[in-house]
Amino acid sequence: MDFTEFNIGKNQAEEFAKAIFADIEEYVNEHLEEYEKFLKEYESEVKENGKVKKVS
């Protein structure tokens, strides 16, 4: 299936977000140290360059 032209309504988007939120929250809580390291690196990059490098 080609998802380049995938449109959903606001209600569908909200339901999707609710459905995946618990999984995301659980993942972040299980990997909190790694997540906090990522945030520090991100903030440092923004402070130094005013933007974040794109990953290729």
Side-chain angles (χ1 to χ4, degrees), residues 7-55:
N7 296 309
I8 61 174
K10 182 180 179 198
N11 290 339
Q12 289 174 310
E14 287 177 5
E15 289 301 316
F16 180 73
K18 289 176 188 175
I20 66 170
F21 178 79
D23 291 335
I24 294 170
E25 183 179 35
E26 181 181 345
Y27 179 86
V28 170
N29 287 334
E30 289 176 1
H31 299 88
L32 195 54
E33 186 175 311
E34 180 182 348
Y35 179 66
E36 288 174 344
K37 180 183 173 195
F38 163 78
L39 288 178
K40 285 180 185 176
E41 290 173 359
Y42 177 86
E43 290 170 356
S44 175
E45 184 72 28
V46 170
K47 285 179 184 175
E48 288 179 22
N49 301 320
K51 60 183 176 180
V52 177
K53 293 181 203 171
K54 287 187 176 182
V55 177

